[in-house]
Amino acid sequence: MTIHTTAERRTGVYGGEQLARYGFGDGHPFGPDRHDAFWDALAESGLKAKIRSLPPVQARDEEVLRFHTGPYLEQVRQQSATGQGYLDYGDTPAVVGIYESALFVVGSTLDAVARILAGDLTRAMVPIAGLHHARRDGAAGFCVFNDCGVAIETLRQVHGIQRIAYVDIDAHHGDGVFYAFDDDPELAVVDFHEDGHYLYPGTGHADETGTGAARGTKLNVPLPPFAEDGQFLRLWSRAERFIENYRPQFILLQCGADALAGDPITHLQLSPAVHRQVTASLCRIADEICEGRLLAMGGGGYERDHTARAWTQVVAAMVETTERGIEP
């Protein structure tokens, strides 16, 4: 058992101009101002003195190709140079420079994974990340490269980590991750989201539990429109048991904040308290089972102030649990 002090700053948070640039222009729901809104809230909270602020890191093509196909990567590169058209069927514009910006999202996520596994950090947060809709061969829903999927493949292929828990509380079902690994028995998925009958992408039904040998390793929890904290948290205890029984070696959290009341494109009515409680719960499980290894990725969230507060609560829970000073 190792005792850590607050001064060691065991929680890392990534930020900087290259991450802020990932987006689709001022006025777009996924605009560059989301980054600064979060960092302003983090500064106001007093948490910046208790975390390690880390700069963005750019991924290499070969790292992206652990999850994505070569033809799709080349498509992104070419359309990013011209800024013309869409990378999907109309949600994800090919703005100039989006290829480079997406590489910084993936690279920052992978740097966080490497630092956690090396023991340099216990937990980390990459706010502009969690791009969970992108498929192996295409973009979707504002997501160009699926850093969650690249992280999972990197944990397996590079670091030898097989048993991974992926937890997603974004209002939208994380379809790009779910269906890429729905037959993978060593990836446990817990996905809370607004019922697909009412919200994009229309997937993630409760009876989707994995296929083949992976049946039973995936837990979809669709919530009705206008669900509030109480309903979410009553269901969360089942998710805790699901993750604990799986005994992962690493936990990934996609902590999208578009399930909060007031988000302009969803209908759920959660508060930032859910983000704090979920993160604290996962920190406890991580400390008990997998040496504290937890990486949070920001995901969606389109009401700037609410999103900033929710992500700040994620960081607060990480800092609070590491400040207790006890890790396995």
Side-chain angles (χ1 to χ4, degrees):
M1 182 173 295
T2 303
I3 306 299
H4 291 295
T5 67
T6 304
E8 288 185 77
R9 298 185 183 183
R10 304 290 302 172
T11 297
V13 182
Y14 287 74
E17 181 184 352
Q18 296 97 332
L19 272 180
R21 281 203 298 262
Y22 183 88
F24 305 96
D26 293 332
H28 190 279
F30 207 125
D33 55 325
R34 300 167 77 248
H35 172 278
D36 290 349
F38 163 68
W39 277 96
D40 288 346
L42 197 67
E44 291 172 8
S45 72
L47 287 166
K48 281 189 71 174
K50 298 181 178 182
I51 58 111
R52 283 174 58 188
S53 298
L54 295 165
V57 176
Q58 187 171 20
R60 302 186 304 275
D61 285 354
E62 55 264 34
E63 293 172 320
V64 177
L65 290 171
R66 292 171 190 155
F67 180 83
H68 289 289
T69 66
Y72 172 60
L73 186 145
E74 188 58 33
Q75 175 197 347
V76 175
R77 192 201 321 269
Q78 291 181 9
Q79 288 189 249
S80 173
T82 65
Q84 295 181 356
Y86 285 86
L87 296 169
D88 54 12
Y89 298 105
D91 282 333
T92 313
V95 298
V96 171
I98 196 65
Y99 166 73
E100 290 79 9
S101 299
L103 287 180
F104 275 105
V105 173
V106 173
S108 299
T109 295
L110 296 187
D111 188 70
V113 166
R115 286 178 182 270
I116 291 170
L117 289 173
D120 183 41
L121 298 171
T122 303
R123 334 221 197 265
M125 164 73 165
V126 187
I128 309 303
L131 305 181
H132 61 171
H133 293 307
R135 306 179 308 277
R136 291 186 185 272
D137 61 353
F142 313 153
C143 302
V144 175
F145 294 144
N146 192 326
D147 58 299
C148 313
V150 178
I152 292 165
E153 294 290 9
T154 298
L155 281 163
R156 263 83 178 275
Q157 298 174 31
V158 177
H159 300 292
I161 300 293
Q162 298 301 319
R163 295 180 65 80
I164 302 161
Y166 172 78
V167 181
D168 192 322
I169 61 172
D170 193 288
H172 301 87
H173 182 237
D175 56 329
V177 176
F178 188 90
Y179 296 111
F181 297 98
D182 67 339
D183 61 349
D184 185 333
E186 293 193 300
L187 180 73
V189 173
V190 172
D191 197 315
F192 281 68
H193 50 273
E194 185 173 335
D195 192 316
H197 291 100
Y198 306 97
L199 189 69
Y200 175 91
T203 56
H205 305 298
D207 61 356
E208 295 182 88
T209 64
T211 60
R215 190 173 303 279
T217 63
K218 317 294 187 257
L219 177 63
N220 278 307
V221 186
L223 299 168
F226 311 110
E228 298 180 343
D229 289 14
Q231 187 165 359
F232 182 105
L233 294 172
R234 282 192 296 273
L235 295 166
W236 177 250
S237 59
R238 180 187 176 198
E240 287 182 310
R241 293 191 299 272
F242 187 88
I243 299 165
E244 288 167 344
N245 290 338
Y246 177 73
R247 301 194 68 79
Q249 299 168 280
F250 200 106
I251 300 175
L252 298 169
L253 169 63
Q254 202 274 20
C255 53
D258 47 7
L260 270 63
D263 193 274
I265 65 175
T266 70
H267 312 101
L268 298 178
Q269 300 290 307
L270 305 185
S271 80
V274 165
H275 283 68
R276 188 180 190 114
Q277 187 155 334
V278 165
T279 307
S281 170
L282 293 177
C283 287
R284 175 190 62 78
I285 294 171
D287 284 345
E288 293 175 357
I289 294 174
C290 57
E291 302 179 46
R293 298 166 175 167
L294 173 64
L295 170 59
M297 300 161 287
Y302 307 105
E303 205 294 320
R304 286 5 184 196
D305 291 341
H306 294 176
T307 299
R309 287 202 297 272
W311 289 348
T312 298
Q313 291 302 308
V314 170
V315 176
M318 289 181 165
V319 168
E320 187 176 278
T321 53
T322 54
E323 277 189 341
R324 291 173 189 158
I326 302 176
E327 295 178 357

